Amino acid sequence: MSDFFKGIPEIKFEGPDSSNEFAFKHYDPDEVVMGKRMEDHLRFSIAYWHSFAWEGGDPFGGRTFDRPWFGSSMDAAKMKAEVAFEMFRILGAPFYCFHDLDVRPEGDSFAENQSRLDEIADVFAGKMEETGTKLLWGTANLFTHRRFMSGAATNPDPEVFAWSAATIKGCMDVTHRLGGQNYVLWGGREGYETLLNTDLAQERMQAGRMLQKVVDYKHKIGFEGTILVEPKPQEPSKHQYDYDVATVYGFLKEFGLEGEVKMNIEQGHAILAGHSFEHELAMAASLGILGSIDMNKNDYQSGWDTDQFPTNVPEVALAYYEVLKDGGFTTGGTNFDAKLRRQSLDPEDLILGHVGAMDVCARGLKAAAAMLEDGKLEEARAARYAGWKGAPWLDMDLEAIAAKVAEDGLSPEPRSGRQERLENLVNSYL
């Protein structure tokens, strides 16, 4: 194994009274919550791109990290894999996620890219057998290379569409081979910068046809995992076709895919769309398309997706409330799409960022479970809509409704939504 994390012990649960920073205070994998082990509820996953591929840059400055595996060789990629699986072992993380570009260097051709990805997949297969770590999902990076500057599936150049389709196929093959439980499509540049050179109908059609091809290929190869789309508004494009959950659902309906595809929802992307995380989760659950989550948080004073580790227990509790109310994860999980701050240079920082985030999620999960088991929030919600039980209005036309209102002399008075009481109730569980 790598010595990058030399001297850092495996992280164990020691309870809330522990003063050991290299210990979980709240995340006990074996604690039973609502009849299920906490580890099986949360299904934590480590994001390969932020933890091992990101160099510490931001829009105003370049690389700040100095990692021994940085480089463009396959030897560097294999060293990166050694470090990654060592970190998974230290944290006891059951899953990981990756883009193809995270794990292999860019080649001079599509064939070389695929050959390198297959070679790293061999390394991963051995490491997964050795450690027991599983693949939550794989995906293709179709946004970093300059060929994707005008999008991938939505690109006006049909050759870029073809390259993107071939790359997705290769990533799906590797995900399937490694037993991945989902495959994610994230349209990093599926949008436009100006309408002056954009054909919206053409680009939307291309995006829909690409997703249909992905679903068809899933069935052809017998991939039993879930196809997930990750909504994201703006940044980097002025407009993104996958703006939020509701927008993506309309897209899925248009192309007949609402029964085939679910959502991977990120907290930071929800904020960029002007929503809360729990709103996007509740919307997806109401539409039957909640699949998995990318857990992080945004800096509310910054105008871009800062991908910070979660630290806000109330926010996380409300998110897991929606997950638990929907029945919990099946193939999905909690992927930490979160990165260190560019000033956090030490190996210990990388471990401790995840330790703190896992504890925050554990606290949020337990609070959410307490809310759901107590039932008071759902009782209040049901009471608010109780008048609809037996109400005739949905089955009557407008003329019949008007006649009935006049006949009965209806003059409804407004009723309190009791928001403050419910906010106080939620706070009592935290």
Side-chain angles (χ1 to χ4, degrees), residues 130-302:
E130 176 185 332
T131 63
T133 308
K134 300 174 184 177
L135 177 60
L136 187 66
W137 49 260
T139 188
N141 181 314
L142 302 176
F143 48 89
T144 295
H145 194 281
R146 65 193 296 267
R147 70 172 61 90
F148 303 121
M149 67 181 187
S150 300
T154 59
N155 200 292
D157 184 344
E159 292 187 355
V160 176
F161 180 97
W163 178 289
S164 302
T167 300
I168 290 171
K169 175 195 176 294
C171 291
M172 289 183 71
D173 287 339
V174 167
T175 300
H176 183 36
R177 173 184 158 198
L178 294 175
Q181 300 194 13
N182 308 271
Y183 184 81
V184 171
L185 293 112
W186 179 72
R189 295 191 186 274
E190 307 293 22
Y192 67 79
E193 295 181 358
T194 176
L195 278 172
L196 299 177
N197 62 7
T198 300
D199 185 332
L200 289 171
Q202 172 72 24
E203 292 193 0
R204 189 173 182 82
M205 178 274 294
Q206 290 174 205
R209 291 293 292 123
M210 182 72 87
L211 188 52
Q212 287 172 334
K213 293 177 191 299
V214 168
V215 169
D216 289 345
Y217 190 64
K218 164 193 167 169
H219 294 304
K220 182 175 183 178
I221 64 176
F223 178 57
E224 296 182 355
T226 306
I227 301 299
L228 301 171
V229 168
E230 182 171 328
K232 181 179 182 180
Q234 50 195 353
E235 196 225 42
S237 301
K238 173 188 277 189
H239 169 79
Q240 298 274 143
Y241 292 107
D242 51 1
Y243 188 86
D244 61 5
V245 167
T247 303
V248 173
Y249 184 72
F251 173 84
L252 295 178
K253 290 283 285 186
E254 180 180 353
F255 292 95
L257 295 169
E258 68 273 17
E260 294 278 3
V261 177
K262 294 190 176 184
M263 299 289 99
N264 182 60
I265 300 167
E266 179 182 320
Q267 196 267 9
H269 295 173
I271 300 304
L272 287 179
H275 304 309
S276 66
F277 195 17
E278 63 267 24
H279 164 87
E280 288 289 82
L281 294 168
M283 180 64 73
S286 72
L287 296 169
I289 56 173
L290 174 54
S292 195
I293 64 175
D294 273 5
M295 180 62 78
N296 55 26
K297 76 168 188 177
N298 271 11
D299 184 326
Y300 290 108
Q301 280 75 53
S302 295

